[in-house]
Amino acid sequence: MSGTERVPKYERLRRRLTDHIDRLPADSPLPTERELTTRYGVSRATVRQALDALEAAGLVYRVQGAGTFVAEQTVSKTLSLTSFSEDMRRKGLVPDSRVLVADETPADEHSGGRLRLSPGTPLIRLVRVRLADSAPMCLETTYLVAERVPGLLDLELTGSIYQVLAERYGVNLVRADQAVRSVAAGEEQAALLGLAPRAPALRMERVAYDERGSAVESTVSLYRADRYEIRFTIHREAT
Amino acid sequence: MSGTERVPKYERLRRRLTDHIDRLPADSPLPTERELTTRYGVSRATVRQALDALEAAGLVYRVQGAGTFVAEQTVSKTLSLTSFSEDMRRKGLVPDSRVLVADETPADEHSGGRLRLSPGTPLIRLVRVRLADSAPMCLETTYLVAERVPGLLDLELTGSIYQVLAERYGVNLVRADQAVRSVAAGEEQAALLGLAPRAPALRMERVAYDERGSAVESTVSLYRADRYEIRFTIHREAT
DNA sequence: GAGTGGTCTAGACCACCAC
DNA sequence: TGGTGGTCTAGACCACTCA
């Protein structure tokens, strides 16, 4: 890693504007696109590319014929694809894991079906109790396509798997389909999570894909309802 | 409504390409940007604007130096801001409502806090049992800023409120912050939903905003866990 | 009517991939 | 090395808002 990082102009402009916006009250007008053009010495297309990103992030809103304005602050951000570790750190908690199972197993209809694999395809299976600040937060069963992550079981598995996938295997998970349900924890599950039997839990099912749309990871997470909630921002579709 | 609708070129191109893509297998290469330029008689910037939308929707992926390709089909779409009625119709169910409460009430810390209003501000309150195919699906308490929807209580409230807001009041909800939890239904709630007491339920809290980022609606929904789950696609953030 | 954001063009150079 | 997508420019016209 050398110190040179290629950062496009529109990205640099976006960051400068983000810092600027954070210090402005809601509904403050931003400079006009043409003024930003001269102020930062870039073309209007570049300015618009930066503003497009800010608008998509919900930081500003634009009114044709009037201008661009600071939006009221959103409580949360768009829900993004993160690993458990990243998620917890973002919340200010210290993540950890207790590995219950780590082995290789052929795909059956359950695990392979979600990954759209034929039965028998080798999968890495991880069953972990995920801890936050040393207390159980969630019970997680993960399947990974073994072919994509050779030797994974020989590694430390306490940190962020997504980071390992990216750095060691060049596998970048960019998209995931999720399904969220409310369930009553089973006896065994409740015991592992430190809950009373039949206590409510949040069940999250996820299939994550790489850039090309190939399924790589399938995870079922069971979160303690008293410790976890999902927060996110959604938008109205145009179509 | 006259028949003339202004549709930008990039939008027309996006639709044409969407239709085209639907008939291609995954990983098929699309024509190059420069070829689309000549084929459709538009500039490359316009082509890229159309492709940007397709990429954001997860229909294609781009590899620098190689080309643009059809992505594998995603099961579900990005979670978008919809009303209960729209949500149910999309699932092929018939929505209906049983209104329990419909009145005007001053904001207190609970209701006003989420909407970021000062206590005392008039609010419209709706408590409804929402039905899908004539069976209880969810128990919903909605607060609307009364000033934005004068006379709402005189209207039929069985249909889509979002449609009423847009068509009658020009209020377009474009963004919402949501929080999802798993809870055990209380006795009264369980009775209204046709559940056993302490049965698991999905609790969804939502605050919806208009284009300018002003909070307009605050809703708490309690869904029957055995009938409802949330499905959505999420993406990895660049930053 | 002056000024704003929305759309569109024609052209250029760069980084990257595959042959 | 040739072609691809990624970035950027300078300029134009349109639709819309607001005084």
Side-chain angles (χ1 to χ4, degrees):
Chain A
M1 299 288 154
S2 69
T4 10
E5 270 231 18
R6 168 94 190 113
V7 180
K9 287 189 186 179
Y10 69 85
E11 176 60 19
R12 282 199 295 262
L13 178 54
R14 186 191 67 76
R15 293 180 194 171
R16 295 189 65 160
L17 291 175
T18 300
D19 293 343
H20 187 51
I21 285 166
D22 287 344
R23 291 190 297 270
L24 290 177
D27 299 320
S28 306
L30 263 64
T32 69
E33 296 181 352
R34 280 148 181 103
E35 184 172 346
L36 290 171
T37 280
T38 64
R39 189 183 296 188
Y40 294 102
V42 297
S43 75
R44 189 162 160 231
T46 302
V47 168
R48 283 185 61 79
Q49 206 170 348
L51 289 176
D52 285 347
L54 293 178
E55 185 180 33
L59 292 176
V60 304
Y61 63 90
R62 305 203 264 203
V63 181
Q64 186 176 151
T68 303
F69 307 88
V70 176
E72 288 186 35
Q73 282 304 354
T74 302
V75 178
S76 54
K77 303 290 177 189
T78 300
L79 191 60
S80 78
L81 178 52
T82 55
S83 70
F84 178 85
S85 310
E86 294 166 331
D87 192 20
M88 290 304 119
R89 279 198 207 94
R90 193 170 300 186
K91 290 179 159 73
L93 302 172
V94 179
D96 199 3
S97 277
R98 203 147 54 79
V99 179
L100 304 182
V101 178
D103 61 4
E104 191 168 321
T105 173
D108 58 15
E109 283 133 41
H110 266 318
S111 51
R114 275 193 281 275
L115 290 170
R116 281 181 277 165
L117 299 170
S118 32
T121 309
L123 295 177
I124 302 289
R125 175 174 55 180
L126 296 174
V127 182
R128 293 173 289 179
V129 176
R130 318 289 319 237
L131 312 171
D133 283 356
S134 305
M137 171 67 89
C138 125
L139 178 62
E140 204 164 77
T141 303
T142 299
Y143 291 94
L144 292 157
V145 179
E147 188 194 19
R148 302 294 297 271
V149 289
L152 179 73
L153 290 176
D154 302 331
L155 304 176
E156 282 281 340
L157 294 176
T158 46
S160 165
I161 286 237
Y162 283 18
Q163 204 174 327
V164 174
L165 288 179
E167 289 174 4
R168 189 178 175 92
Y169 298 104
V171 173
N172 290 299
L173 300 180
V174 298
R175 207 184 76 225
D177 291 330
Q178 296 210 187
V180 177
R181 277 189 164 278
S182 174
V183 299
E187 264 186 54
E188 211 179 327
Q189 300 167 333
L192 286 166
L193 286 171
L195 293 174
R198 303 199 40 76
L202 201 63
R203 184 179 189 280
M204 210 156 78
E205 217 177 287
R206 162 189 296 182
V207 180
Y209 307 86
D210 67 9
E211 303 98 325
R212 317 222 159 183
S214 298
V216 175
E217 181 218 17
S218 164
T219 293
V220 176
S221 308
L222 199 69
Y223 282 90
R224 283 178 59 149
D226 58 338
R227 292 195 77 193
Y228 193 75
E229 70 175 4
I230 309 178
R231 286 189 167 274
F232 52 94
T233 303
I234 59 179
H235 297 268
R236 185 103 179 140
E237 277 174 358
T239 317
Chain B
M1 301 284 158
S2 70
T4 9
E5 269 229 19
R6 169 94 192 113
V7 179
K9 286 187 185 181
Y10 68 85
E11 176 60 18
R12 281 199 295 261
L13 178 54
R14 185 191 68 76
R15 293 179 193 169
R16 294 189 68 159
L17 291 175
T18 300
D19 293 342
H20 187 52
I21 285 166
D22 287 343
R23 290 191 296 271
L24 290 177
D27 299 320
S28 306
L30 263 66
T32 69
E33 296 181 352
R34 282 152 182 98
E35 183 172 347
L36 290 171
T37 280
T38 64
R39 189 182 296 188
Y40 293 101
V42 298
S43 75
R44 189 160 163 235
T46 302
V47 168
R48 282 185 63 77
Q49 205 169 349
L51 289 176
D52 285 346
L54 294 177
E55 185 180 33
L59 292 176
V60 303
Y61 62 91
R62 305 203 263 204
V63 181
Q64 185 174 152
T68 302
F69 306 89
V70 176
E72 288 185 34
Q73 282 303 357
T74 302
V75 178
S76 53
K77 305 288 176 188
T78 301
L79 191 61
S80 77
L81 178 52
T82 54
S83 69
F84 178 85
S85 310
E86 294 165 331
D87 191 19
M88 290 304 119
R89 280 198 206 93
R90 193 169 301 184
K91 290 179 160 73
L93 302 171
V94 179
D96 199 5
S97 278
R98 204 147 54 79
V99 179
L100 304 181
V101 178
D103 61 4
E104 191 169 322
T105 172
D108 58 17
E109 284 133 39
H110 266 319
S111 51
R114 277 193 281 276
L115 290 170
R116 279 180 278 164
L117 299 170
S118 31
T121 309
L123 295 176
I124 302 287
R125 175 173 58 181
L126 296 174
V127 182
R128 293 174 288 179
V129 176
R130 316 292 314 241
L131 312 171
D133 284 354
S134 305
M137 171 66 88
C138 130
L139 178 62
E140 205 164 76
T141 304
T142 301
Y143 292 93
L144 293 156
V145 179
E147 189 193 18
R148 303 293 297 271
V149 289
L152 179 74
L153 289 176
D154 302 331
L155 304 176
E156 282 283 337
L157 295 177
T158 45
S160 165
I161 286 235
Y162 284 19
Q163 204 175 327
V164 174
L165 288 179
E167 289 175 4
R168 191 179 173 91
Y169 298 104
V171 174
N172 290 298
L173 300 180
V174 297
R175 206 184 78 225
D177 291 330
Q178 295 209 188
V180 177
R181 290 191 85 91
S182 175
V183 298
E187 263 185 57
E188 213 180 325
Q189 300 166 333
L192 286 167
L193 287 170
L195 293 173
R198 303 198 41 73
L202 200 64
R203 184 179 189 279
M204 210 157 77
E205 218 177 286
R206 162 189 294 181
V207 180
Y209 306 87
D210 66 9
E211 302 99 326
R212 315 224 157 179
S214 298
V216 175
E217 181 219 16
S218 164
T219 293
V220 176
S221 306
L222 199 69
Y223 282 89
R224 283 179 59 149
D226 59 339
R227 292 195 78 193
Y228 193 75
E229 69 175 4
I230 309 178
R231 287 190 169 274
F232 52 96
T233 302
I234 59 178
H235 298 266
R236 184 102 177 140
E237 277 174 359
T239 318

